[in-house]
Structure formats: structure tokens, C-alpha cells
Amino acid sequence: MAVEEIKSWIADSRNIVFFGGAGTSTESQIPDFRSATGLYQTASKHAFPPEVMLSRSFFMERTAEFFDFYRACMVHREAKPNAAHEVLAQLEQTGKLRAVVTQNIDGMHQMAGSRHVLELHGSVHRNYCMGCGKFFDLDHVTSDETMVPRCDACGGIVKPDVVLYEESLDWDILSKARKHIAEADVLIVGGTSLTVNPAAALVGEYGGDKLVLINQSATPYDSRATHVIRDSIGKVLKALVS
């Protein structure tokens, strides 16, 4: 069985890397983007499509509208880590998991206890003044739902440290992620459609023979995987360490 073989890989490895997307957090009640119940299907009450409202140009030109959407749809203060986050933190703490590479911006991995997390698209928990560079926490952005957040030092606009459409990924983080994936013994990919580049193309850096894909729908990399599992990522990861 696939699960039994993967369990033996995990037992023998001290260089596992996990690469995850929005599906890793859906069990924490954080919606993904492209599924039938995802953000792109359910955000119709807003005047513009999510892809537009999450772009750099929209942020610069219609900042107040950006923050209305961002606070309502991208920040989930009530969310808690789920079984997937907890298992990954456990694997790191036992010296088996070398890194988590995530496309998510929710900070759930760190909340669960993971320390070596490479956030390709940034984090809602980090925010910075576009004028002087001063950093602010999430409370500064969410404390007043009616205002564009401003810097208390210079008055500049405070921008979430997340990668918007039309912006580039952080090269240093991308390079570290590429290196970890290329050098991994076991690569576990979960909760991502692997359709958004350059992040998705990172899986192509893996040259090993222990590639596990856990996702509810098909991905472009299914044919390259050693095992493909169509099930809840939390359920699968719990089974792999039980």
C-alpha cells in the first residue's frame, strides 16, 4: 500500500521537505482560491474579480477598496492550525522535516510550531510602511476596518508584506526553496493545484524517486509522482506518522 511505503520513507529519512498550497489550510476554514468553493467563485459581492483586487496596480490606485477586500477575504484571525500543520511541526521537531515551503500567507505553520518555513508569497502577519520601512503587526492593519492603515512614524501607507499579482517573489526565499527541494530525500506536496508559476515549477527541481502528491484534484505533476493520494491532507499526514 502507498501509505505503508511512504511511512517507511519517513521513518528512514532526515531530509523531508513539504511543499504546500491553499489546500493545506482549508481544514482550518481558510478558503482556497480555485476550487468550487474557493475565493474566485465566492467573492462575487465585490465589484472586481479577486485577481484584479489582489494586484499591485489595484492596491496603488484603489487602496481603500483593496483593504476592504483584503480584510474581508484574506485575513482569518479566528483560524487555528489543523492536523496537517501539526504533523509537519512534529516531523520538524523530531529532526525529519528539513523545511516547509508554502504558498500560503496565513502563518498557520508557525502557529503550529514549525520554525523553518519559507513563505513564497509573504505573510499577513508582517506589514511595512512604504515610506520609511517601519514594520507593523497584523493588528495595525485590522484594528480600524474603515481606514487605510498608516505609519505612526511618517504617515506613509502600510502595505501587507504579501506578494500581489504583478509583483515578483522574493529571490532569496525562492532560491532557498529551490535548494531544499532539489536536495530533499522525500518531497511531499499537498493542497496545491501546481498551476501557478514560478512557485509550482519548484517541484520540477526535485530529482528523487520519493515524490508524494496529496491533493483532491489532478495536477500537472501527477504522472511524475511516485504516489498520488486523493484525500484530506490532514487525514493522510496523520496516517503517515501513526
Side-chain angles (χ1 to χ4, degrees):
M1 287 180 60
V3 168
E4 293 306 315
E5 182 170 36
I6 300 166
K7 286 177 72 170
S8 70
W9 294 348
I10 291 173
D12 294 339
S13 179
R14 297 187 68 82
N15 186 11
I16 302 167
V17 172
F18 177 80
F19 177 84
T24 310
S25 290
T26 53
E27 291 166 48
S28 295
Q29 311 309 312
I30 298 175
D32 62 10
F33 292 87
R34 292 170 176 80
S35 73
T37 57
L39 184 63
Y40 289 177
Q41 306 299 321
T42 60
S44 58
K45 69 175 184 177
H46 296 276
F48 300 90
E51 305 97 306
V52 173
M53 300 187 79
L54 292 173
S55 67
R56 171 81 180 193
S57 56
F58 192 90
F59 172 82
M60 298 301 294
E61 295 164 11
R62 309 176 78 116
T63 309
E65 290 174 76
F66 168 88
F67 276 106
D68 285 344
F69 176 78
Y70 180 79
R71 292 178 180 122
C73 297
M74 304 303 292
V75 177
H76 302 275
R77 298 299 299 263
E78 74 292 345
K80 302 296 181 186
N82 61 52
H85 301 116
E86 291 166 356
V87 169
L88 293 168
Q90 175 188 333
L91 287 172
E92 182 185 289
Q93 290 156 11
T94 55
K96 293 185 172 296
L97 185 76
R98 192 70 59 87
V100 168
V101 180
T102 180
Q103 295 170 285
N104 296 339
I105 61 174
D106 52 45
M108 291 291 108
H109 288 292
Q110 292 93 330
M111 195 179 298
S114 291
R115 294 291 174 262
H116 197 173
V117 182
L118 297 170
E119 296 172 309
L120 296 173
H121 296 152
S123 172
V124 299
H125 297 282
R126 297 190 303 271
N127 306 272
Y128 66 93
C129 173
M130 299 179 73
C132 68
K134 181 177 178 180
F135 267 80
F136 295 88
D137 62 15
L138 183 56
D139 288 339
H140 189 81
V141 172
T142 60
S143 59
D144 189 336
E145 296 288 326
T146 67
M147 299 288 289
V148 171
R150 295 278 180 177
C151 176
D152 57 12
C154 76
I157 293 173
V158 174
K159 180 186 181 294
D161 189 14
V162 300
V163 179
L164 302 176
Y165 289 103
E166 305 166 354
E167 293 182 333
S168 299
L169 273 61
D170 182 286
W171 178 251
D172 182 55
I173 293 174
L174 192 61
S175 296
K176 288 177 180 176
R178 183 178 288 115
K179 185 174 188 293
H180 276 295
I181 289 172
E183 295 176 353
D185 177 26
V186 179
L187 178 62
I188 302 174
V189 180
T192 173
S193 61
L194 295 176
T195 56
V196 178
N197 288 316
L202 287 171
V203 178
E205 300 289 330
Y206 179 69
D209 60 357
K210 298 179 177 70
L211 173 58
V212 181
L213 276 177
I214 308 167
N215 201 53
Q216 297 283 10
S217 58
T219 81
Y221 286 85
D222 285 5
S223 62
R224 298 177 58 176
T226 317
H227 292 297
V228 177
I229 302 175
R230 300 261 184 265
D231 208 339
S232 153
I233 186 168
K235 175 184 173 183
V236 173
L237 288 180
K238 283 180 68 175
L240 292 179
V241 298
S242 63

